[in-house]
């Protein structure tokens, strides 16, 4: 998802003028009474209930039929009332499905109550066929006949012009996220919100679960000089939020004097401690190298290896769960296990990538086995693997463009590891910034 340099180049015009992380608390939450726009679930136009409250958001309603009900399901159950009388464009990809695996574009197109006029594809494309750092371009959907516009690498006025050309009134966002700052779909949402505000359009966010849970945030908070398409604004590396919660935070903290008219349609039945396998929903890979929820569980830590000369497992059947390079042997797994990181074991592994780094070469390395999801901290695990790989393999190196700094959000993790710091010292360095983010994050949460 984050491999291309195009994400850095696409920053122009996208990053706002809000202050540094310490100033995040200056603006009030977008969901409070009197704030700009309409933020809430179906049936709660106007102010939003306090996080976790029953009623307005529906977030704390009992689980129906033993599974989570997505924002799209709740939108449909309400007769698409929030879309009435509007020309609608949908930002989505293959993950935008109903529980019986129909795509929401097909459902909306067939329903006379919705005037769906356009589809917008993110990185990887509407149909999800493109690899990291690429998209499918503009096309026409053969099933519905609708025009498909490409949003990738577009932001600011350029993206606003796309919305204007499409002839829409409202942008609907429905994409499955995986909970990591550098997974670009959340920044597609951010860019769409900014562009919609510029173009005078409304935004409706249909919520889906954070597949790795949402009990806490983890890892370093982005520093603004390192902003890019893999991190536009200062949030934690593992943000612990859903798309709707992030939209509320973006609107309240980062869009400054130009917030968008925002409606968030919450899920029912989701709890912050739930992992994807507990939702009862079908999993569709959000991108070509995110095949399972287990991949998502490791991703916030192991994607850091995109910033090194080791393979992050692309070109294997278990990307981001296996890591390695030519010349690495069992000593790496032994060193990683010796750290005693909670919730995870590291197994000696060998693999041959079919594409990407070390293509066609036998790589030695590690396989992550998460045995306690509640205890597992993917960011600490990723840092532990970076620390030990550097210690045991003389061939270790950072990508020459210091992509690791974009992924971690500053140069501090790289410099600390190069100086010989251990996991606890590196994590201690980001603790204060993370605590500040947690305090701001808490004001935008919708679920208990």
């Amino acid at each position: 998802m984050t491999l291309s340099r195009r994400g850095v180049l696409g920053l122009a015009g996208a990053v706002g003028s809000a202050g540094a992380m310490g100033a995040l608390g200056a603006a009030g939450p977008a969901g409070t009474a009197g704030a700009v726009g309409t933020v809430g679930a179906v049936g709660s136009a106007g102010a939003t209930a306090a996080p976790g409250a029953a009623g307005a958001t529906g977030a704390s309603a009992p689980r129906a039929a033993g599974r989570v009900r997505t924002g799209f399901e709740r939108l449909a159950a309400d007769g698409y009332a929030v879309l009435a009388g509007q020309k609608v464009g949908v930002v989505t990809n293959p993950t935008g499905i109903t529980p019986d695996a129909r795509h929401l574009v097909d459902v909306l197109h067939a329903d006379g109550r919705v005037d769906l006029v356009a589809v917008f594809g993110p990185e990887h494309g509407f149909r999800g066929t493109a690899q990291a750092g690429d998209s499918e371009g503009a096309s026409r959907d053969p099933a519905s006949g609708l025009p498909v516009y490409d949003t990738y690498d577009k932001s600011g006025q350029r993206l606003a012009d796309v919305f204007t050309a499409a002839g829409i009134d409202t942008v609907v966002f429905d994409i499955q996220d995986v909970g990591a700052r550098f997974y670009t779909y959340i920044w597609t949402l951010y860019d769409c919100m900014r562009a919609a505000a510029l173009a005078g359009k409304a935004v409706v966010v249909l919520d889906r679960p954070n597949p790795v849970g949402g009990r806490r945030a983890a890892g370093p908070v982005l520093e603004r000089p390192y902003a890019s398409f893999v991190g536009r604004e200062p949030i934690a590396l593992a943000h612990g939020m859903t798309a709707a919660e992030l939209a509320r935070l973006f609107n309240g903290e980062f869009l400054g004097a130009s917030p968008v008219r925002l409606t968030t349609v919450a899920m029912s039945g989701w709890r912050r401690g739930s992992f994807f396998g507990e939702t009862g929903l079908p999993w569709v890979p959000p991108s070509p190298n995110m095949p399972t929820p287990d991949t998502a569980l490791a991703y916030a830590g192991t994607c850091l290896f995109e910033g090194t000369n080791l393979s992050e497992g692309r070109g294997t059947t278990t990307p981001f769960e296996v890591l390695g390079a030519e010349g690495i042997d069992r000593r790496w797994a032994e060193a990683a296990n010796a750290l005693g990181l909670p919730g995870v074991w590291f197994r000696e592994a060998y693999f041959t990538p079919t594409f990407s780094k070390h293509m066609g070469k036998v790589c030695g390395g590690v396989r992550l086995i998460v045995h306690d999801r509640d205890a597992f901290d993917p960011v600490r695990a990723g840092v532990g693997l970076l620390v030990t790989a550097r210690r045991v393999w003389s061939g270790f190196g950072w990508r020459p463009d210091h992509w690791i700094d974009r992924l971690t959000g500053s140069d501090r993790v790289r410099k600390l590891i190069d100086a010989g710091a251990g996991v606890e010292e590196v994590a201690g360095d980001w603790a204060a910034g993370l605590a500040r983010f947690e305090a701001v994050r808490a004001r935008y949460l919708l679920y208990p």
Side-chain angles (χ1 to χ4, degrees):
M1 170 64 76
T2 66
L3 194 59
S4 171
R5 296 185 190 181
R6 292 175 64 194
V8 179
L9 300 177
L11 176 62
V15 177
S17 59
M21 185 66 220
L24 266 177
T32 56
V36 176
T38 301
V39 181
V42 169
S44 62
T48 302
T57 66
S60 60
R63 292 193 182 189
R67 67 166 178 83
V68 170
R69 298 195 178 275
T70 65
F72 177 76
E73 287 182 84
R74 302 194 68 226
L75 178 77
D78 198 53
Y80 307 107
V82 299
L83 304 180
Q86 302 165 64
K87 292 186 180 300
V88 175
V90 177
V91 183
T92 191
N93 68 359
T95 66
I97 64 167
T98 64
D100 58 355
R102 293 176 297 155
H103 198 278
L104 71 93
V105 168
D106 298 325
V107 175
L108 292 175
H109 178 67
D111 197 309
R113 294 171 294 179
V114 179
D115 188 7
L116 181 63
V117 300
V119 179
F120 303 98
E123 184 179 4
H124 305 291
F126 169 49
R127 295 300 182 188
T129 63
Q131 281 291 338
D134 206 355
S135 62
E136 294 170 337
S139 63
R140 189 165 291 275
D141 177 36
S144 65
L146 293 167
V148 179
Y149 298 84
D150 184 10
T151 71
Y152 182 60
D153 208 25
K154 296 179 179 68
S155 59
Q157 189 61 51
R158 187 179 175 203
L159 183 54
D161 290 344
V162 172
F163 291 157
T164 300
I168 63 170
D169 303 310
T170 297
V171 179
V172 173
F173 182 93
D174 190 351
I175 295 178
Q176 177 64 61
D177 183 43
V178 301
R181 184 181 63 227
F182 37 60
Y183 205 60
T184 62
Y185 296 141
I186 63 172
W187 304 115
T188 295
L189 170 60
Y190 173 89
D191 287 344
C192 287
M193 291 173 65
R194 275 198 168 277
L198 287 171
K201 314 300 182 184
V203 172
V204 175
V205 179
L206 308 181
D207 214 6
R208 289 184 179 272
N210 185 325
V212 299
R215 290 175 303 150
R216 60 182 182 270
V221 172
L222 175 82
E223 295 178 8
R224 273 231 166 75
Y226 295 87
S228 72
F229 192 41
V230 295
R232 297 285 202 210
E233 298 284 2
I235 67 172
L237 196 160
H239 49 72
M241 302 178 77
T242 68
E245 292 172 336
L246 283 165
R248 286 161 48 83
L249 185 146
F250 294 162
N251 217 33
E253 302 293 334
F254 302 135
L255 268 61
S258 302
V260 73
R261 287 179 289 132
L262 174 67
T263 300
T264 58
V265 185
M267 299 173 282
S268 62
W270 190 72
R271 300 293 186 271
R272 310 208 72 81
S274 298
F275 294 90
F276 196 84
E278 302 168 70
T279 66
L281 298 171
W283 176 262
V284 175
S287 57
N289 291 287
M290 194 64 61
T292 72
D294 287 338
T295 318
L297 190 62
Y299 177 76
T302 54
C303 186
L304 296 176
F305 279 81
E306 280 193 359
T308 74
N309 60 347
L310 283 79
S311 167
E312 62 276 7
R314 294 180 188 273
T316 75
T317 58
T318 52
F320 303 108
E321 296 180 71
V322 293
L323 309 163
E326 294 179 89
I328 298 180
D329 59 24
R330 67 182 184 282
R331 289 174 294 176
W332 188 18
E334 291 171 352
N337 282 317
L339 296 175
L341 295 170
V344 63
W345 298 313
F346 303 98
R347 181 177 67 81
E348 177 186 4
Y350 297 88
F351 57 95
T352 304
T354 59
F355 64 87
S356 195
K357 288 185 280 185
H358 304 287
M359 180 177 67
K361 305 293 179 63
V362 176
C363 296
V366 299
R367 169 77 184 267
L368 282 76
I369 299 176
V370 177
H371 61 86
D372 184 343
R373 294 178 302 182
D374 292 316
F376 177 59
D377 182 331
V379 186
R380 282 177 182 255
V383 169
L385 287 167
L386 289 170
V387 166
T388 51
R390 189 180 183 280
R391 289 175 181 172
V392 305
W393 184 47
S394 61
F396 178 88
W398 305 109
R399 255 176 60 168
D401 61 358
H402 286 166
W403 186 244
I404 187 65
D405 297 352
R406 299 288 177 180
L407 296 174
T408 58
S410 77
D411 62 0
R412 299 182 63 80
V413 169
R414 172 175 56 84
K415 288 182 174 180
L416 282 166
I417 291 174
D418 282 348
V423 177
E424 295 309 312
E425 184 178 352
V426 175
D429 183 73
W430 70 56
L434 179 61
R436 289 194 295 272
F437 172 73
E438 285 271 28
V440 173
R441 167 185 176 270
R443 299 201 299 269
Y444 296 93
L445 301 182
L446 290 168
Y447 309 96

